[in-house]
Amino acid sequence: MPTRRARIPATKYPVERFTLDNGLRVVLTPDRSAPVIGVAVVYDVGIRSEPEGRTGFAHLFEHLMFQGSENLEKLAHFRHVQGAGGTFNGSTHLDYTDYYETLPSNALERALFLEADRMRGPRLTEENLRNQVDVVKEEIRVNVLNRPYGGFPWLTLPPVMFDTFPNAHDGYGSFDDLESATVGDAADFFRRYYASGNAVLAVSGDVDVAEATALIERHFGDVPARPAPDRPDFAEPDLTAERRTSYTDQLAPLPAVAGAWRVPDPVTDFAGYLPYVVLAEVLTDGDASRLVERLVQRDRSVTSLGGYLGFMGDPFDVRDPTALLLQAHLPPGGDVDKVLRTVDEELDRLATDGLTEGELARTQARMATHLLRDTDAVLGRALRMAVLEQQRGEPGLLNELPRLVGEVTDEQVRAAAATLRPERRASIEVIAGGAR
């Protein structure tokens, strides 16, 4: 019996695109409903682009971009944004690094000046480098080394699934690699990857398109032109046999397990990729989802469960190769083998019997709600459009995502589930060393 289809609302955010003479791509999406703007600059460089021997360098360089720039002293960026009533931050991902601000709309020119100034060049000094190496090392201590389940599974599972350095290495970096970084390394990294031709600027919110275009040309137009570097091919063959490993986490109070399966290319095979995004939600989103109902509520073999696309949970912000991940925490003495067998049973059942009446529509409605909520704020819109422009040349796809999710069929979800076989799975088990 065909399942009832979800009725998905659409957004109609306007999109204006142009490219400056220096290669900088620009996306404007005006929304005059509130006097607020979101500004995002996304550079096409991330964890996968780091050279061997320099693990953690993309994230370290993100920190350096806040330590002053061509015309601004250290901490000036903080002062100018916060002094205008705004907020700011940056983040490093597998395939890109972003820098962003939310500000009152009368501070648009201030934001553009700040971003253009550091696009010309951050202050790469020995003092700034050593200081930020220490900051990043402390971040690793707090988020990974001294935290239960630190790095699980986004740092611990890729080296099980992948064989090549770009896909498998620790994106936070080793202390040895971080400490051996030099100012020359940073300058080379900036020249190679932080080129205007390798960046996208997105502005959303309360802007006049003509005025914003003039300001962007004024502040970014004279940034020296440097082309985007050739992007390596990070492709790897799929697994043909199950890979599994374990490690003891001395701080973890309970056992845990995560498994991952490769999925189609999210950029070149988007139609083939989307059913996996929906499948992850069918399996794990909400108390009525397949695996939560079976593993948490009925069997009580796990205490919590999650499923998502991409090792950093970013299904529409990642390139190939990527994966569908499932992760779970178990009660004391929990049986990881049993949990994995049950996952296989439920996948087989879904592939064979399909979805129940209303199951797909309910899941798609929840997904659409999340997508609409994530881009309701002007900054979320700017960030999503910047990445869509960079990776696909389609910032307007943001408007289409809820509808496209709603068009995924029962048959497509069943076919996706049928591919998640044990022999294609990489999994990692956390042995609880902190149990008392």
Side-chain angles (χ1 to χ4, degrees):
M1 178 187 298
T3 56
R4 176 167 47 86
R5 300 296 293 274
R7 295 183 62 184
I8 305 296
T11 55
K12 297 181 180 178
Y13 297 123
V15 179
E16 301 282 345
R17 304 167 64 215
F18 60 93
T19 302
L20 299 184
D21 290 343
N22 58 15
L24 176 67
R25 287 179 282 168
V26 180
V27 179
L28 303 177
T29 175
D31 177 357
R32 312 306 294 268
S33 61
V36 181
I37 56 167
V39 177
V41 178
V42 174
Y43 294 89
D44 199 346
V45 57
I47 289 168
R48 283 199 256 232
S49 299
E50 294 169 345
E52 293 194 50
R54 288 294 178 264
T55 58
F57 204 87
H59 176 233
L60 173 62
F61 198 87
E62 176 214 318
H63 280 244
L64 292 173
M65 287 284 279
F66 289 96
Q67 303 305 304
S69 53
E70 187 173 89
N71 295 294
L72 294 168
E73 73 278 12
K74 189 172 183 175
L75 302 182
H77 193 106
F78 299 56
R79 187 175 70 253
H80 285 299
V81 174
Q82 293 173 335
T87 59
F88 66 93
N89 212 330
S91 58
T92 307
H93 301 252
L94 290 178
D95 295 304
Y96 67 94
T97 307
D98 56 27
Y99 303 87
Y100 48 88
E101 296 85 19
T102 302
L103 287 156
S105 55
N106 62 4
L108 172 62
E109 186 166 15
R110 180 178 300 209
L112 296 177
F113 166 75
L114 293 172
E115 290 296 350
D117 203 60
R118 62 178 166 188
M119 187 178 286
R120 290 187 187 90
R123 294 201 176 191
L124 302 177
T125 66
E126 186 67 24
E127 178 186 1
N128 285 343
L129 177 61
R130 300 274 69 88
N131 172 266
Q132 291 310 302
V133 166
D134 288 342
V135 170
V136 170
K137 287 168 61 180
E138 184 61 21
E139 188 175 330
I140 294 170
R141 292 187 188 100
V142 170
N143 291 337
V144 180
L145 300 179
N146 296 319
R147 172 179 291 187
Y149 313 104
F152 171 79
W154 77 278
L155 293 179
T156 56
L157 190 49
V160 183
M161 170 164 270
F162 297 116
D163 296 320
T164 64
F165 174 82
N167 297 319
H169 77 276
D170 180 347
Y172 248 143
S174 72
F175 282 11
D176 286 345
D177 283 358
L178 290 168
E179 289 166 355
S180 64
T182 68
V183 173
D185 293 333
D188 289 343
F189 196 81
F190 175 78
R191 279 192 297 267
R192 179 170 177 78
Y193 295 110
Y194 278 71
S196 53
N198 206 38
V200 174
L201 165 67
V203 180
S204 65
D206 185 22
V207 295
D208 175 83
V209 170
E211 179 184 346
T213 299
L215 289 173
I216 290 167
E217 290 175 341
R218 178 187 308 168
H219 289 284
F220 287 89
D222 63 351
V223 173
R226 300 199 312 279
D230 292 334
R231 186 176 179 278
D233 181 1
F234 297 128
E236 285 194 39
D238 195 1
L239 300 186
T240 56
E242 183 177 10
R243 295 183 181 182
R244 185 170 171 186
T245 190
S246 63
Y247 68 99
T248 299
D249 183 337
Q250 296 297 342
L251 300 176
L254 297 170
V257 65
W261 298 259
R262 290 280 297 278
V263 296
D265 189 315
V267 176
T268 63
D269 187 14
F270 192 51
Y273 173 78
L274 267 180
Y276 290 86
V277 182
V278 177
L279 172 61
E281 303 299 315
V282 167
L283 293 172
T284 64
D285 185 33
D287 290 344
S289 62
R290 291 279 174 132
L291 294 181
V292 172
E293 193 278 332
R294 173 74 188 272
L295 292 167
V296 179
Q297 298 176 352
R298 193 196 316 173
D299 295 355
R300 300 187 183 276
S301 56
V302 307
T303 58
S304 64
L305 180 73
Y308 47 93
L309 271 291
F311 287 91
M312 301 179 77
D314 44 6
F316 303 115
D317 299 346
V318 69
R319 293 187 175 113
D320 192 65
T322 188
L324 184 152
L325 283 81
L326 298 175
Q327 67 180 79
H329 291 81
L330 285 66
D335 186 339
V336 167
D337 289 327
K338 180 181 178 182
V339 170
L340 292 176
R341 285 197 306 270
T342 306
V343 169
D344 293 337
E345 289 174 14
E346 288 299 317
L347 288 169
D348 287 342
R349 188 165 70 89
L350 177 56
T352 302
D353 300 337
L355 292 95
T356 61
E357 175 66 23
E359 184 178 11
L360 181 58
R362 180 184 68 240
T363 302
Q364 290 167 322
R366 288 171 66 102
M367 293 178 70
T369 298
H370 295 155
L371 286 167
L372 295 168
R373 182 189 62 201
D374 290 346
T375 55
D376 184 57
V378 291
L379 180 59
R381 214 174 303 158
L383 285 166
R384 176 63 55 80
M385 284 197 177
V387 177
L388 290 173
E389 167 64 37
Q390 184 177 81
Q391 297 184 352
R392 303 166 184 271
E394 293 184 80
L397 184 62
L398 179 144
N399 289 318
E400 303 298 321
L401 285 175
R403 176 184 61 79
L404 292 171
V405 163
E407 290 178 353
V408 172
T409 66
D410 180 307
E411 291 75 17
Q412 289 175 307
V413 174
R414 291 175 62 176
T419 70
L420 304 190
R421 307 301 304 162
E423 62 270 17
R424 296 184 59 244
R425 181 174 60 215
S427 60
I428 188 159
E429 176 184 356
V430 179
I431 300 169
R436 293 288 183 267

